[in-house]
Amino acid sequence: VREARQAEAAARAEAEKERFHAAACREDAARLDNGLGPWRTLQAARAPAVIDLVRFLQEDGPDILKQPLPARAKVPVMALEWPPHTDLDTSLAWRNFDERGVFALIQGLCSAEVDVESLELTACCVEGRWLGALHGDTEAPRLAALMAFQAFRPDVSVVATCR
């Protein structure tokens, strides 16, 4: 009888430890579930560009950096920053309305006359920051048009072909 009582007490103590551990796991799961709330909201809001940006910054971007240079890659436009000391001419001049001008590119993207893939950019990653349109005046209208198109179409993820 004594051994049975000792075994029962040990089993109760072990069961209490398991209950405590299960309660801690439930608390952790609830905390993780609360952390997923913003991501569920983004998915429900149909904001794939934001989700693709996060995926790129966490997974694809680091993989691209491991490739030998020069490499070609698909980079979400939202990941690209405007390069320092690069101006964009938005004056109402013919050069901005011809086929390579910023306004013509925006119009072409919005009307599907210009394919996003055709607007290739040079890009680099410096200390985790992705800079696009490194060739200044020639590429600035392309990057601006892609950024504007992404702003007009938050329901799609605009991905630039970069070298």
Side-chain angles (χ1 to χ4, degrees):
V1 173
R2 174 185 260 165
E3 289 177 12
R5 287 187 180 157
Q6 287 176 345
E8 181 183 355
R12 286 181 189 271
E14 184 67 28
E16 187 61 32
K17 286 181 190 176
E18 289 298 321
R19 275 194 289 278
F20 178 76
H21 181 69
C25 286
R26 280 192 300 278
E27 288 174 13
D28 288 345
R31 204 170 22 258
L32 289 172
D33 192 50
N34 286 338
L36 288 174
W39 295 112
R40 289 187 180 122
T41 301
L42 284 172
Q43 285 180 322
R46 292 179 176 76
V50 177
I51 295 168
D52 289 346
L53 171 64
V54 171
R55 185 176 300 119
F56 175 81
L57 293 174
Q58 289 182 339
E59 299 169 12
D60 301 337
D63 289 344
I64 291 169
L65 295 176
K66 294 174 188 172
Q67 295 177 5
L69 297 176
R72 289 195 183 285
K74 304 285 187 186
V75 179
V77 170
M78 289 183 70
L80 296 172
E81 293 182 33
W82 197 263
H85 312 294
T86 301
D87 294 325
L88 177 65
D89 181 10
T90 57
S91 63
L92 297 177
W94 273 119
R95 66 183 169 275
N96 292 324
F97 290 94
D98 76 3
E99 63 187 26
R100 293 181 315 265
V102 65
F103 299 121
L105 291 172
I106 292 170
Q107 186 276 332
L109 288 167
C110 290
S111 65
E113 293 171 7
V114 173
D115 185 31
V116 170
E117 305 255 335
S118 69
L119 301 179
E120 191 171 274
L121 301 170
T122 53
C124 71
C125 184
V126 179
E127 296 178 0
R129 297 173 57 196
W130 288 84
L131 302 173
L134 300 178
H135 292 153
D137 293 342
T138 58
E139 292 187 352
R142 288 184 232 152
L143 179 57
L146 289 168
M147 288 177 158
F149 185 59
Q150 179 63 80
F152 294 148
R153 294 295 311 270
D155 59 319
V156 298
S157 183
V158 178
V159 179
T161 302
C162 296
R163 58 185 185 290

